[in-house]
Amino acid sequence: MDQVILDGINKNVAPEDTLYFLGDFCFGGHVRTPLYRSRIACQTIHVCRGNHDEKLDLYKNHFTSVNDVMLVKHGKSNFWLSHYSHQVWIGSHKGYIHLFGHSHDSITGIGKSMDVGIDTAYGVLGEYRPFSVEEVIS
């Protein structure tokens, strides 16, 4: 399973791209974090902590940033990123898009929100891989 996920990331995210990982970076033992990070070619990875990331701060130097939530601007779009789904979020009344993981494709987004976890990606795209920003916006 881990290799399929890592292959899906590396097939779709170039080394010069930016990857936003919305939690649960390394399930089953935090000591694997450096190994899994080293197997991802993308150099810029921002992580929003998930419920299985309680020890992630031990490995902050392996990532570009580690946060609980993030507000990101991409072109004309603003994104509120979190591991968890929110019913309202910063900028929700201004058209900001909320992206989340955690729910394993079991929660339908509210308004401009979307579960972007790999379970959802498999159901929508047929692959365990990250969504591109273009796919999210469309």
Side-chain angles (χ1 to χ4, degrees), residues 64-94:
T64 307
S65 71
V66 176
N67 301 284
D68 290 322
V69 295
M70 293 182 72
L71 182 59
V72 176
K73 184 169 180 64
H74 182 82
K76 294 181 180 180
S77 299
N78 293 293
F79 297 90
W80 176 251
L81 309 179
S82 173
H83 179 61
Y84 303 102
S85 172
H86 299 254
Q87 289 198 0
V88 294
W89 53 92
I90 289 177
S92 59
H93 61 291
K94 295 180 180 180

Side-chain angles (χ1 to χ4, degrees), residues 28-39:
H30 67 88
V31 296
R32 294 187 195 134
T33 299
L35 172 65
Y36 289 168
R37 173 60 187 99
S38 72
R39 291 168 62 189

Side-chain angles (χ1 to χ4, degrees), residues 14-74:
E16 65 275 6
D17 288 344
T18 299
L19 176 63
Y20 294 92
F21 203 100
L22 302 188
D24 297 346
F25 183 81
C26 187
F27 181 71
H30 67 88
V31 296
R32 294 187 195 134
T33 299
L35 172 65
Y36 289 168
R37 173 60 187 99
S38 72
R39 291 168 62 189
I40 297 173
C42 180
Q43 296 303 302
T44 304
I45 301 178
H46 299 277
V47 179
C48 286
R49 284 182 199 88
N51 55 301
H52 295 289
D53 292 328
E54 57 275 344
K55 305 259 183 176
L56 196 62
D57 285 341
L58 296 172
Y59 309 100
K60 275 186 160 183
N61 62 325
H62 294 273
F63 302 98
T64 307
S65 71
V66 176
N67 301 284
D68 290 322
V69 295
M70 293 182 72
L71 182 59
V72 176
K73 184 169 180 64
H74 182 82

Side-chain angles (χ1 to χ4, degrees), residues 4-14 17 39-41 125-130:
V4 169
I5 294 168
L6 291 165
D7 288 346
I9 292 170
N10 286 326
K11 179 180 167 193
N12 293 281
V13 183
D17 288 344
R39 291 168 62 189
I40 297 173
L125 306 169
E127 295 180 83
Y128 292 108
R129 66 162 177 91

